[in-house]
């Protein structure tokens, strides 16, 4: 569901909601659900998005508390993204993103009491070559807390996943 709450006053503002509910794809069929909301503001020189999401379990049916058959883990996280056009070079943009995700918001594991999250930082520069086709240089850093199992993984006691760092050069094609 997407709405533009004040199109005549703030034409670049948009709000969205997305939700899913189902049964996990295992013998025990644990319930799972996802709820996400997003606010975006877009103008020619500036874009900003803010997203918040929560979930219970997952579609595969394996996002459950270790040692149980159906006790699903609850998750939550948020993300902010922004892109700014450089005024003196209209085809050049700077962008950045910050995410934080908690794979166990109830903190119901014996470990992982508020130390199982990860944070993602992303910054870059892009140049529009032709009508939305861009070349982008991007730096990304992911920082894991000591009991985080990694992206898409259930928290694990003292897993101590190493932080990740990467630089990418990307060619984005728009159809």
């Amino acid at each position: 569901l997407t709405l533009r709450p004040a199109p005549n006053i703030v034409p670049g503002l948009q709000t969205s909601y997305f939700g899913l509910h189902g049964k996990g794809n295992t013998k025990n069929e644990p319930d799972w659900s996802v709820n996400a909301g997003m606010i975006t503001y877009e103008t020619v020189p500036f874009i900003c998005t803010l997203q918040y999401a929560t979930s219970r379990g997952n579609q595969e049916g394996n996002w459950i508390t270790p040692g149980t058959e159906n006790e699903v883990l609850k998750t939550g996280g948020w993300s902010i993204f922004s892109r700014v056009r450089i005024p003196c070079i209209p085809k050049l943009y700077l962008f950045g993103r910050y995410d934080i995700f908690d794979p166990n918001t109830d903190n119901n594991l014996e470990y992982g009491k508020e130390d199982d999250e990860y944070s993602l930082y992303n910054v870059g520069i892009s140049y529009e070559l032709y009508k939305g086709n861009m070349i982008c240089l991007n730096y990304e850093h992911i920082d894991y807390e000591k009991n985080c199992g990694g992206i898409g993984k259930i928290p694990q006691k003292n897993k101590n996943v190493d932080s990740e760092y990467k630089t990418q050069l990307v060619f984005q094609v728009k159809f």
Side-chain angles (χ1 to χ4, degrees):
L1 174 65
T2 299
L3 301 171
R4 292 193 180 271
N8 297 328
I9 300 168
V10 188
L13 182 65
Q14 181 172 294
T15 60
S16 299
Y17 168 78
F18 174 78
L20 291 171
H21 181 75
K23 296 277 188 186
N25 290 327
T26 61
K27 178 182 76 169
N28 296 321
E29 296 184 324
D31 288 334
W32 67 275
S33 62
V34 175
N35 290 287
M38 185 172 195
I39 298 172
T40 63
Y41 180 69
E42 184 172 344
T43 64
V44 173
F46 178 74
I47 295 172
C48 185
T49 67
L50 178 62
Q51 182 176 14
Y52 180 75
T54 63
S55 70
R56 293 180 62 249
N58 67 356
Q59 183 177 5
E60 289 81 20
N62 59 9
W63 202 263
I64 58 172
T65 302
T68 71
E69 293 185 9
N70 273 3
E71 187 181 331
V72 296
L73 291 172
K74 295 178 184 175
T75 72
W78 60 272
S79 176
I80 186 167
F81 169 84
S82 186
R83 185 185 83 175
V84 179
R85 178 182 285 182
I86 306 301
C88 57
I89 308 171
K91 292 186 172 193
L92 189 65
Y93 301 88
L94 294 176
F95 60 88
R97 173 178 154 189
Y98 175 71
D99 297 355
I100 190 161
F101 181 75
D102 184 347
N104 178 25
T105 56
D106 282 347
N107 296 314
N108 60 348
L109 302 177
E110 292 177 17
Y111 51 92
K113 303 276 188 207
E114 299 179 15
D115 58 1
D116 54 10
E117 298 177 353
Y118 72 82
S119 301
L120 179 145
Y121 311 85
N122 186 317
V123 294
I125 188 166
S126 64
Y127 184 79
E128 184 175 9
L129 299 170
Y130 180 75
K131 294 186 179 180
N133 295 290
M134 297 184 168
I135 190 158
C136 306
L137 181 61
N138 180 54
Y139 171 76
E140 181 177 285
H141 170 78
I142 305 172
D143 191 26
Y144 301 99
E145 292 186 347
K146 74 175 186 176
N147 293 326
C148 184
I151 294 178
K153 308 284 187 199
I154 292 175
Q156 295 178 18
K157 186 173 186 177
N158 296 318
K159 178 73 174 177
N160 293 317
V161 176
D162 290 335
S163 295
E164 296 180 31
Y165 307 87
K166 64 181 164 186
T167 303
Q168 298 175 322
L169 183 63
V170 177
F171 182 62
Q172 175 180 300
V173 178
K174 181 177 180 183
F175 293 96

